Coordinates of all heavy atoms in Angstrom, one line a residue:
M147 N -47.2 -3.5 -16.8 CA -46.9 -2.4 -17.6 C -45.8 -2.7 -18.6 O -44.7 -3.1 -18.1 CB -46.6 -1.2 -16.7 CG -46.2 0.0 -17.5 SD -46.0 1.4 -16.3 CE -45.7 2.7 -17.3
T148 N -46.0 -2.5 -19.8 CA -44.9 -2.8 -20.8 C -44.3 -1.5 -21.2 O -44.9 -0.4 -21.2 CB -45.5 -3.4 -22.1 OG1 -46.5 -2.5 -22.7 CG2 -46.1 -4.7 -21.7
V149 N -43.0 -1.6 -21.5 CA -42.2 -0.4 -21.9 C -41.9 -0.5 -23.3 O -41.4 -1.6 -23.8 CB -40.9 -0.3 -21.0 CG1 -40.1 0.8 -21.5 CG2 -41.2 -0.3 -19.6
R150 N -42.2 0.5 -24.1 CA -41.9 0.5 -25.5 C -40.5 1.0 -25.8 O -40.1 2.0 -25.2 CB -42.9 1.4 -26.3 CG -44.3 0.8 -26.3 CD -45.1 1.6 -27.2 NE -46.5 1.1 -27.3 CZ -47.5 1.6 -28.0 NH1 -47.2 2.7 -28.7 NH2 -48.7 1.1 -27.9
R151 N -39.9 0.3 -26.7 CA -38.5 0.8 -27.1 C -38.7 1.7 -28.3 O -39.4 1.4 -29.2 CB -37.6 -0.3 -27.4 CG -37.2 -1.1 -26.2 CD -36.2 -2.1 -26.6 NE -35.8 -2.9 -25.3 CZ -34.6 -3.3 -25.2 NH1 -33.7 -3.2 -26.1 NH2 -34.3 -4.0 -24.1
E152 N -38.0 2.8 -28.2 CA -38.0 3.7 -29.4 C -37.1 3.2 -30.5 O -36.2 2.5 -30.2 CB -37.5 5.1 -29.0 CG -38.4 5.8 -27.9 CD -37.9 7.1 -27.5 OE1 -37.2 7.7 -28.3 OE2 -38.3 7.6 -26.5
K153 N -37.4 3.6 -31.7 CA -36.6 3.2 -32.8 C -35.2 3.9 -32.7 O -35.1 5.0 -32.2 CB -37.2 3.6 -34.2 CG -38.5 2.8 -34.5 CD -39.0 3.2 -35.9 CE -40.2 2.4 -36.2 NZ -40.7 2.8 -37.5
R154 N -34.2 3.2 -33.2 CA -32.9 3.8 -33.2 C -32.8 5.0 -34.1 O -33.3 4.9 -35.2 CB -31.9 2.7 -33.6 CG -31.7 1.7 -32.6 CD -30.6 0.8 -33.0 NE -30.0 0.2 -31.7 CZ -28.9 -0.5 -31.7 NH1 -28.2 -0.7 -32.8 NH2 -28.5 -1.0 -30.6
S155 N -32.1 6.0 -33.6 CA -31.9 7.2 -34.5 C -30.7 6.9 -35.4 O -30.0 6.0 -35.2 CB -31.6 8.4 -33.5 OG -30.4 8.2 -32.9
P156 N -30.5 7.8 -36.4 CA -29.3 7.6 -37.2 C -28.0 7.7 -36.5 O -27.0 7.2 -36.9 CB -29.4 8.8 -38.2 CG -30.9 9.2 -38.2 CD -31.4 8.8 -36.8
R157 N -28.0 8.3 -35.3 CA -26.8 8.3 -34.4 C -26.8 7.2 -33.5 O -26.4 7.3 -32.3 CB -26.8 9.7 -33.7 CG -26.5 10.8 -34.6 CD -26.2 12.1 -33.9 NE -25.1 11.9 -33.0 CZ -23.9 12.3 -33.2 NH1 -23.6 12.8 -34.3 NH2 -22.9 12.1 -32.3
A158 N -27.3 6.0 -33.9 CA -27.4 4.8 -33.1 C -26.0 4.4 -32.6 O -25.0 4.8 -33.3 CB -28.1 3.7 -33.8
R159 N -26.0 3.7 -31.6 CA -24.7 3.2 -31.0 C -24.6 1.7 -31.1 O -25.5 1.0 -30.9 CB -24.5 3.8 -29.6 CG -24.5 5.3 -29.6 CD -24.1 5.8 -28.2 NE -24.0 7.2 -28.3 CZ -22.9 7.9 -28.5 NH1 -21.8 7.2 -28.7 NH2 -22.8 9.2 -28.6
R160 N -23.4 1.3 -31.3 CA -23.1 -0.1 -31.3 C -22.5 -0.5 -29.9 O -22.4 0.3 -29.1 CB -22.0 -0.4 -32.4 CG -21.8 -1.8 -32.8 CD -20.8 -2.0 -33.9 NE -21.5 -1.8 -35.2 CZ -20.9 -1.9 -36.3 NH1 -19.6 -2.2 -36.3 NH2 -21.5 -1.7 -37.4
R161 N -22.2 -1.8 -29.8 CA -21.7 -2.2 -28.5 C -20.5 -1.4 -28.1 O -19.7 -1.0 -28.9 CB -21.4 -3.7 -28.5 CG -20.4 -4.1 -29.5 CD -20.4 -5.6 -29.7 NE -20.1 -5.7 -31.1 CZ -19.0 -6.3 -31.6 NH1 -18.1 -6.8 -30.8 NH2 -18.8 -6.3 -32.8
G162 N -20.3 -1.1 -26.8 CA -19.2 -0.3 -26.4 C -19.5 1.2 -26.5 O -18.7 2.0 -26.1
G163 N -20.7 1.5 -27.0 CA -21.1 2.9 -27.1 C -20.5 3.7 -28.3 O -20.6 4.9 -28.3
A164 N -19.9 3.0 -29.2 CA -19.3 3.6 -30.4 C -20.4 4.1 -31.3 O -21.3 3.3 -31.7 CB -18.3 2.7 -31.1
P165 N -20.4 5.3 -31.8 CA -21.4 5.8 -32.8 C -21.2 5.1 -34.1 O -20.1 4.7 -34.5 CB -21.1 7.3 -32.9 CG -19.8 7.5 -32.4 CD -19.4 6.4 -31.4
V166 N -22.3 4.9 -34.8 CA -22.4 4.2 -36.1 C -22.9 5.1 -37.2 O -23.8 5.9 -36.9 CB -23.3 2.9 -35.9 CG1 -23.4 2.2 -37.2 CG2 -22.8 2.0 -34.8
C167 N -22.3 5.0 -38.3 CA -22.7 5.8 -39.5 C -24.1 5.2 -40.0 O -24.3 4.0 -40.1 CB -21.7 5.6 -40.6 SG -22.2 6.4 -42.2
A168 N -25.0 6.1 -40.2 CA -26.4 5.8 -40.6 C -26.4 5.2 -42.0 O -27.3 4.4 -42.4 CB -27.3 7.0 -40.5
V169 N -25.5 5.6 -42.8 CA -25.4 5.1 -44.2 C -24.7 3.8 -44.4 O -25.3 2.8 -44.9 CB -24.8 6.1 -45.1 CG1 -24.6 5.7 -46.6 CG2 -25.6 7.4 -45.1
S170 N -23.5 3.6 -43.8 CA -22.7 2.4 -44.0 C -22.9 1.4 -42.9 O -22.6 0.2 -43.1 CB -21.2 2.8 -44.2 OG -20.7 3.3 -43.0
G171 N -23.3 1.8 -41.7 CA -23.4 0.9 -40.6 C -22.0 0.7 -39.9 O -21.9 -0.2 -39.0
K172 N -21.0 1.3 -40.4 CA -19.7 1.1 -39.8 C -19.5 2.0 -38.6 O -20.1 3.0 -38.4 CB -18.6 1.5 -40.8 CG -18.5 0.5 -42.0 CD -17.4 0.9 -42.9 CE -17.3 -0.1 -44.1 NZ -16.1 0.2 -44.9
I173 N -18.5 1.7 -37.8 CA -18.2 2.5 -36.6 C -17.7 3.8 -37.1 O -16.8 3.9 -38.0 CB -17.1 1.8 -35.7 CG1 -17.7 0.5 -35.1 CG2 -16.6 2.7 -34.6 CD1 -16.7 -0.3 -34.3
R174 N -18.1 4.9 -36.5 CA -17.8 6.3 -36.9 C -16.7 6.8 -35.9 O -17.0 6.8 -34.7 CB -19.0 7.2 -36.9 CG -18.7 8.6 -37.2 CD -20.0 9.4 -37.1 NE -19.8 10.8 -37.4 CZ -19.3 11.7 -36.6 NH1 -19.0 11.4 -35.3 NH2 -19.1 12.9 -37.0
Y175 N -15.6 7.2 -36.4 CA -14.5 7.8 -35.6 C -14.6 9.3 -35.8 O -14.9 9.8 -36.8 CB -13.2 7.2 -36.0 CG -13.0 5.7 -35.7 CD1 -13.2 4.8 -36.8 CD2 -12.8 5.3 -34.5 CE1 -13.2 3.5 -36.5 CE2 -12.7 3.9 -34.2 CZ -12.9 3.0 -35.3 OH -12.8 1.7 -35.0
R176 N -14.4 10.0 -34.7 CA -14.5 11.5 -34.6 C -13.6 12.2 -35.6 O -14.0 13.1 -36.3 CB -14.2 11.9 -33.2 CG -14.3 13.4 -33.0 CD -14.1 13.8 -31.5 NE -12.8 13.3 -31.0 CZ -12.7 12.4 -30.0 NH1 -13.8 12.0 -29.4 NH2 -11.5 12.0 -29.6
D177 N -12.3 11.7 -35.7 CA -11.4 12.4 -36.6 C -10.4 11.3 -37.1 O -10.4 10.2 -36.7 CB -10.6 13.5 -35.9 CG -10.0 13.1 -34.5 OD1 -9.6 11.9 -34.4 OD2 -9.9 14.0 -33.7
G178 N -9.5 11.8 -38.0 CA -8.5 10.9 -38.6 C -7.6 10.3 -37.6 O -7.1 9.1 -37.7
H179 N -7.2 11.1 -36.5 CA -6.3 10.6 -35.5 C -6.9 9.4 -34.7 O -6.3 8.4 -34.5 CB -5.9 11.7 -34.6 CG -5.0 11.3 -33.5 ND1 -3.7 11.0 -33.7 CD2 -5.2 11.1 -32.2 CE1 -3.1 10.6 -32.6 NE2 -4.0 10.7 -31.6
Q180 N -8.2 9.5 -34.4 CA -8.9 8.5 -33.6 C -9.0 7.2 -34.5 O -8.8 6.1 -34.0 CB -10.3 9.0 -33.2 CG -11.0 8.0 -32.3 CD -12.4 8.5 -32.0 OE1 -13.0 9.3 -32.7 NE2 -12.9 8.1 -30.8
A181 N -9.3 7.4 -35.8 CA -9.3 6.2 -36.7 C -7.9 5.6 -36.8 O -7.8 4.4 -36.9 CB -9.8 6.7 -38.1
A182 N -6.9 6.4 -36.9 CA -5.5 5.9 -37.0 C -5.1 5.1 -35.8 O -4.5 4.0 -35.9 CB -4.5 7.0 -37.2
L183 N -5.6 5.5 -34.6 CA -5.3 4.8 -33.4 C -6.0 3.5 -33.3 O -5.5 2.5 -32.9 CB -5.7 5.6 -32.1 CG -4.8 6.8 -31.8 CD1 -5.4 7.6 -30.7 CD2 -3.4 6.4 -31.5
A184 N -7.2 3.5 -33.8 CA -8.0 2.2 -33.9 C -7.4 1.2 -34.9 O -7.2 0.0 -34.6 CB -9.5 2.5 -34.3
L185 N -6.9 1.8 -36.0 CA -6.3 0.9 -37.0 C -5.0 0.4 -36.5 O -4.7 -0.8 -36.6 CB -6.0 1.8 -38.3 CG -5.4 1.1 -39.4 CD1 -6.3 0.0 -40.0 CD2 -5.1 2.1 -40.5
K186 N -4.2 1.2 -35.8 CA -3.0 0.7 -35.2 C -3.2 -0.4 -34.1 O -2.5 -1.4 -34.1 CB -2.3 1.9 -34.5 CG -0.9 1.5 -33.9 CD -0.3 2.8 -33.3 CE 1.1 2.5 -32.7 NZ 1.7 3.7 -32.2
G187 N -4.3 -0.2 -33.3 CA -4.6 -1.3 -32.3 C -5.0 -2.6 -33.0 O -4.7 -3.7 -32.5
L188 N -5.8 -2.5 -34.1 CA -6.2 -3.7 -34.7 C -5.0 -4.4 -35.4 O -4.9 -5.6 -35.4 CB -7.3 -3.4 -35.8 CG -8.7 -3.0 -35.2 CD1 -9.6 -2.5 -36.3 CD2 -9.3 -4.2 -34.5
R189 N -4.1 -3.6 -36.0 CA -3.0 -4.2 -36.6 C -2.1 -4.9 -35.5 O -1.5 -6.0 -35.8 CB -2.2 -3.2 -37.4 CG -2.8 -2.8 -38.7 CD -2.0 -1.7 -39.4 NE -2.6 -1.4 -40.7 CZ -2.3 -0.3 -41.4 NH1 -1.4 0.6 -40.9 NH2 -2.8 -0.1 -42.5
R190 N -2.0 -4.3 -34.4 CA -1.2 -4.8 -33.3 C -1.8 -6.1 -32.8 O -1.1 -7.1 -32.6 CB -1.1 -3.8 -32.2 CG -0.2 -4.3 -31.0 CD 0.0 -3.2 -30.0 NE 0.8 -2.1 -30.6 CZ 0.8 -0.9 -30.2 NH1 0.0 -0.5 -29.2 NH2 1.6 0.0 -30.7
R191 N -3.1 -6.2 -32.7 CA -3.8 -7.4 -32.3 C -3.6 -8.5 -33.3 O -3.4 -9.7 -32.9 CB -5.3 -7.1 -32.2 CG -6.1 -8.3 -31.6 CD -7.6 -8.1 -31.6 NE -8.0 -6.9 -31.0 CZ -9.2 -6.4 -31.0 NH1 -10.2 -7.1 -31.6 NH2 -9.5 -5.3 -30.4
A192 N -3.6 -8.2 -34.6 CA -3.4 -9.2 -35.6 C -2.0 -9.7 -35.6 O -1.7 -10.9 -35.7 CB -3.7 -8.6 -37.0
A193 N -1.0 -8.8 -35.4 CA 0.4 -9.2 -35.3 C 0.6 -10.1 -34.1 O 1.3 -11.1 -34.2 CB 1.3 -8.0 -35.2
R194 N 0.0 -9.8 -33.0 CA 0.1 -10.6 -31.8 C -0.5 -12.0 -32.0 O 0.1 -13.0 -31.6 CB -0.6 -9.9 -30.6 CG -0.4 -10.6 -29.3 CD 1.1 -10.5 -28.9 NE 1.4 -11.5 -28.0 CZ 2.6 -11.7 -27.5 NH1 3.6 -10.9 -27.9 NH2 2.9 -12.7 -26.6
A195 N -1.6 -12.1 -32.7 CA -2.3 -13.3 -33.0 C -1.4 -14.2 -33.9 O -1.2 -15.4 -33.7 CB -3.6 -13.1 -33.6
D196 N -0.7 -13.5 -34.9 CA 0.2 -14.2 -35.8 C 1.4 -14.8 -35.0 O 1.8 -15.9 -35.3 CB 0.7 -13.3 -36.9 CG -0.4 -13.0 -37.9 OD1 -1.4 -13.7 -38.0 OD2 -0.2 -11.9 -38.6
L197 N 1.9 -14.0 -34.1 CA 3.0 -14.5 -33.3 C 2.6 -15.7 -32.4 O 3.4 -16.6 -32.2 CB 3.6 -13.4 -32.4 CG 4.4 -12.3 -33.1 CD1 4.7 -11.2 -32.1 CD2 5.7 -12.9 -33.7
D198 N 1.4 -15.7 -31.9 CA 0.9 -16.7 -31.1 C 0.4 -17.9 -31.9 O 0.1 -19.0 -31.3 CB -0.2 -16.2 -30.2 CG 0.3 -15.2 -29.1 OD1 1.5 -15.2 -28.9 OD2 -0.5 -14.5 -28.6
G199 N 0.4 -17.8 -33.2 CA -0.1 -18.9 -34.0 C -1.6 -19.0 -34.0 O -2.2 -20.0 -34.4
A200 N -2.3 -18.0 -33.5 CA -3.8 -18.0 -33.4 C -4.4 -17.4 -34.7 O -3.8 -16.6 -35.4 CB -4.2 -17.2 -32.2
Q201 N -5.6 -17.8 -34.9 CA -6.3 -17.3 -36.1 C -7.0 -16.0 -35.7 O -7.4 -15.8 -34.5 CB -7.4 -18.2 -36.6 CG -6.8 -19.5 -37.2 CD -7.9 -20.3 -37.8 OE1 -9.1 -20.2 -37.5 NE2 -7.5 -21.2 -38.7
H202 N -7.1 -15.1 -36.6 CA -7.8 -13.8 -36.4 C -8.6 -13.4 -37.6 O -8.3 -13.9 -38.7 CB -6.8 -12.7 -35.9 CG -5.8 -12.4 -37.0 ND1 -6.0 -11.5 -38.0 CD2 -4.5 -12.9 -37.2 CE1 -4.9 -11.5 -38.8 NE2 -4.0 -12.3 -38.3
S203 N -9.5 -12.4 -37.5 CA -10.3 -12.0 -38.6 C -10.0 -10.5 -38.9 O -10.8 -9.9 -39.6 CB -11.7 -12.2 -38.3 OG -12.1 -11.4 -37.2
V204 N -8.9 -10.0 -38.5 CA -8.5 -8.6 -38.7 C -8.0 -8.4 -40.1 O -7.0 -9.0 -40.5 CB -7.4 -8.1 -37.7 CG1 -7.1 -6.7 -38.0 CG2 -8.0 -8.2 -36.3
R205 N -8.7 -7.7 -40.9 CA -8.4 -7.5 -42.3 C -8.3 -6.0 -42.7 O -8.2 -5.7 -43.9 CB -9.4 -8.2 -43.2 CG -9.6 -9.6 -42.9 CD -8.7 -10.5 -43.7 NE -9.0 -11.9 -43.5 CZ -8.4 -12.7 -42.6 NH1 -7.5 -12.2 -41.9 NH2 -8.8 -14.0 -42.5
V206 N -8.5 -5.1 -41.8 CA -8.5 -3.7 -42.1 C -7.2 -3.2 -42.7 O -6.1 -3.7 -42.3 CB -8.9 -2.8 -40.9 CG1 -10.4 -3.0 -40.5 CG2 -8.0 -3.0 -39.7
R207 N -7.3 -2.3 -43.7 CA -6.1 -1.8 -44.3 C -5.8 -0.3 -44.2 O -4.7 0.1 -44.2 CB -6.2 -2.2 -45.8 CG -6.2 -3.7 -46.1 CD -6.4 -4.0 -47.5 NE -5.1 -3.9 -48.2 CZ -4.9 -4.2 -49.4 NH1 -5.9 -4.7 -50.1 NH2 -3.7 -4.2 -50.0
R208 N -6.9 0.4 -44.1 CA -6.7 1.9 -44.1 C -8.0 2.6 -43.5 O -9.0 2.0 -43.3 CB -6.4 2.4 -45.5 CG -7.6 2.2 -46.5 CD -7.3 2.7 -47.9 NE -8.4 2.4 -48.8 CZ -9.4 3.3 -49.0 NH1 -9.3 4.5 -48.5 NH2 -10.4 3.0 -49.8
K209 N -7.8 3.9 -43.3 CA -8.9 4.7 -42.8 C -9.3 5.6 -44.0 O -8.6 5.8 -44.9 CB -8.5 5.6 -41.7 CG -7.3 6.5 -42.0 CD -6.9 7.3 -40.8 CE -5.6 8.0 -41.1 NZ -5.6 9.4 -40.9
Y210 N -10.6 6.1 -44.0 CA -11.0 7.0 -45.0 C -12.1 7.9 -44.4 O -12.8 7.6 -43.4 CB -11.6 6.3 -46.2 CG -12.9 5.5 -46.0 CD1 -14.1 6.1 -46.3 CD2 -12.9 4.2 -45.5 CE1 -15.3 5.4 -46.1 CE2 -14.0 3.6 -45.2 CZ -15.2 4.1 -45.6 OH -16.4 3.5 -45.3
F211 N -12.3 9.1 -45.0 CA -13.3 10.1 -44.6 C -14.6 9.7 -45.3 O -14.7 9.4 -46.4 CB -12.8 11.5 -45.0 CG -13.8 12.5 -44.6 CD1 -14.0 12.9 -43.3 CD2 -14.7 13.1 -45.5 CE1 -14.9 13.9 -42.9 CE2 -15.6 14.1 -45.2 CZ -15.7 14.4 -43.9
C212 N -15.7 9.8 -44.5 CA -17.0 9.5 -45.0 C -17.8 10.9 -45.2 O -18.0 11.6 -44.2 CB -17.8 8.6 -44.0 SG -19.5 8.3 -44.5
G213 N -18.1 11.2 -46.4 CA -18.9 12.4 -46.6 C -20.3 12.4 -46.1 O -20.9 13.4 -45.9
S214 N -20.8 11.2 -45.9 CA -22.2 11.1 -45.4 C -22.4 11.5 -44.0 O -23.3 12.2 -43.6 CB -22.7 9.6 -45.6 OG -22.7 9.2 -46.9
C215 N -21.5 11.0 -43.1 CA -21.6 11.3 -41.7 C -20.6 12.3 -41.2 O -20.7 12.7 -40.0 CB -21.6 10.0 -40.9 SG -19.9 9.2 -40.8
G216 N -19.6 12.6 -42.0 CA -18.6 13.6 -41.6 C -17.6 13.0 -40.6 O -16.8 13.7 -40.1
G217 N -17.6 11.7 -40.5 CA -16.6 11.0 -39.7 C -15.6 10.2 -40.5 O -15.5 10.3 -41.7
W218 N -14.9 9.3 -39.8 CA -13.9 8.5 -40.4 C -14.2 7.0 -40.2 O -14.8 6.7 -39.1 CB -12.5 8.8 -39.8 CG -12.0 10.1 -40.3 CD1 -12.4 11.3 -39.8 CD2 -11.0 10.4 -41.3 NE1 -11.7 12.3 -40.4 CE2 -10.9 11.8 -41.3 CE3 -10.3 9.6 -42.1 CZ2 -10.0 12.4 -42.2 CZ3 -9.4 10.2 -43.0 CH2 -9.3 11.6 -43.0
H219 N -13.9 6.2 -41.1 CA -14.2 4.7 -41.0 C -12.9 4.0 -41.4 O -12.0 4.5 -41.9 CB -15.3 4.3 -42.0 CG -16.6 5.0 -41.8 ND1 -17.3 5.0 -40.6 CD2 -17.3 5.8 -42.6 CE1 -18.4 5.7 -40.7 NE2 -18.4 6.2 -42.0
L220 N -12.9 2.7 -41.0 CA -11.9 1.7 -41.4 C -12.4 0.8 -42.5 O -13.6 0.5 -42.5 CB -11.4 0.9 -40.2 CG -10.9 1.7 -39.0 CD1 -10.5 0.7 -37.9 CD2 -9.8 2.6 -39.4
T221 N -11.5 0.4 -43.4 CA -12.0 -0.5 -44.5 C -10.8 -1.4 -44.8 O -9.7 -1.2 -44.5 CB -12.3 0.3 -45.8 OG1 -12.8 -0.6 -46.8 CG2 -11.2 1.1 -46.3
R222 N -11.2 -2.5 -45.5 CA -10.2 -3.5 -45.9 C -9.9 -3.3 -47.4 O -9.1 -4.0 -48.0 CB -10.7 -4.9 -45.6 CG -12.0 -5.3 -46.3 CD -12.3 -6.8 -46.0 NE -13.0 -6.9 -44.8 CZ -13.5 -8.1 -44.4 NH1 -13.4 -9.1 -45.1 NH2 -14.2 -8.2 -43.3
Q223 N -10.6 -2.4 -48.0 CA -10.3 -2.1 -49.5 C -9.0 -1.5 -49.6 O -8.5 -0.7 -48.8 CB -11.4 -1.1 -50.0 CG -12.8 -1.6 -49.9 CD -13.0 -2.9 -50.7 OE1 -12.5 -3.0 -51.8 NE2 -13.7 -3.8 -50.2
P224 N -8.3 -1.8 -50.7 CA -7.0 -1.1 -51.0 C -7.2 0.4 -51.3 O -8.2 0.8 -51.7 CB -6.4 -1.9 -52.2 CG -7.6 -2.5 -52.9 CD -8.6 -2.7 -51.8
P225 N -6.1 1.1 -51.1 CA -6.2 2.6 -51.5 C -6.5 2.8 -52.9 O -6.1 2.0 -53.8 CB -4.9 3.2 -51.1 CG -4.0 2.0 -50.6 CD -4.8 0.8 -50.6
P226 N -7.2 3.8 -53.3 CA -7.5 4.1 -54.7 C -6.2 4.4 -55.4 O -5.3 5.0 -54.9 CB -8.4 5.3 -54.7 CG -8.3 5.9 -53.4 CD -7.8 4.8 -52.4
T227 N -6.1 4.0 -56.7 CA -4.9 4.2 -57.5 C -5.3 5.4 -58.4 O -6.1 5.3 -59.4 CB -4.5 3.0 -58.3 OG1 -5.7 2.6 -59.1 CG2 -4.0 1.9 -57.4
W228 N -4.7 6.5 -58.1 CA -5.0 7.7 -58.9 C -4.3 7.8 -60.2 O -4.7 8.5 -61.1 CB -4.7 9.0 -58.1 CG -5.4 9.0 -56.8 CD1 -4.9 8.8 -55.5 CD2 -6.8 9.2 -56.6 NE1 -5.9 8.9 -54.6 CE2 -7.1 9.1 -55.2 CE3 -7.9 9.4 -57.4 CZ2 -8.4 9.2 -54.7 CZ3 -9.2 9.5 -56.9 CH2 -9.4 9.4 -55.5
G229 N -3.3 7.0 -60.4 CA -2.5 7.0 -61.7 C -3.3 6.4 -62.8 O -3.0 6.6 -64.0
D230 N -4.3 5.6 -62.5 CA -5.1 4.9 -63.5 C -6.1 5.8 -64.2 O -6.6 5.5 -65.3 CB -5.9 3.7 -63.0 CG -4.9 2.6 -62.5 OD1 -3.7 2.7 -62.9 OD2 -5.3 1.8 -61.7
Q231 N -6.5 6.9 -63.6 CA -7.5 7.8 -64.1 C -6.8 8.8 -65.2 O -5.7 9.2 -65.0 CB -8.1 8.7 -63.0 CG -8.9 7.8 -62.0 CD -9.6 8.6 -61.0 OE1 -9.6 9.8 -61.0 NE2 -10.2 7.9 -60.1
V232 N -7.6 9.0 -66.2 CA -7.1 9.9 -67.3 C -7.7 11.2 -67.1 O -8.9 11.4 -66.9 CB -7.6 9.3 -68.7 CG1 -7.1 10.2 -69.8 CG2 -7.0 7.9 -68.8
A233 N -6.8 12.3 -67.2 CA -7.3 13.7 -67.1 C -8.0 14.0 -68.4 O -7.6 13.7 -69.5 CB -6.1 14.6 -66.9
V234 N -9.1 14.8 -68.3 CA -9.9 15.2 -69.4 C -9.6 16.6 -69.8 O -9.4 17.4 -69.0 CB -11.4 15.0 -69.2 CG1 -12.2 15.4 -70.3 CG2 -11.7 13.5 -68.9

């Protein structure tokens, strides 16, 4: 008897059970605080690797709100510069 696997829903989960955004494929954090804690942990891991002289791939810079899934994500993109935009 074979068991069929169902297709993943938009609320699919990544390893560790973290929910994933259906649009971006990034880990979805429930709120800004949860994203800030994850960002802090990744920065701490990178700092520790730097102290130990080890290589790491941690490049995240900030958190942002995702209008598609209503959650928060981490990105390595720099923050937007609002001073460059001209008011109409």
Side-chain angles (χ1 to χ4, degrees):
M147 177 175 183
T148 59
V149 178
R150 289 187 183 180
R151 291 187 176 211
E152 295 180 23
K153 289 184 179 179
R154 289 186 154 190
S155 69
R157 293 189 55 100
R159 296 189 176 266
R160 195 178 275 183
R161 59 194 145 114
V166 176
C167 177
V169 176
S170 68
K172 293 183 176 184
I173 295 176
R174 180 184 179 275
Y175 297 98
R176 178 178 57 242
D177 53 29
H179 179 70
Q180 188 182 27
L183 289 176
L185 182 62
K186 184 177 180 180
L188 288 170
R189 286 179 176 163
R190 185 174 290 156
R191 184 185 309 171
R194 186 67 201 178
D196 288 340
L197 286 174
D198 292 343
Q201 291 186 343
H202 62 84
S203 61
V204 178
R205 307 268 187 264
V206 293
R207 297 177 81 174
R208 65 182 177 92
K209 61 184 171 124
Y210 70 95
F211 179 76
C212 176
S214 299
C215 70
W218 290 77
H219 302 301
L220 302 179
T221 184
R222 60 175 86 173
Q223 300 296 320
T227 54
W228 302 109
D230 295 342
Q231 297 184 2
V232 178
V234 178

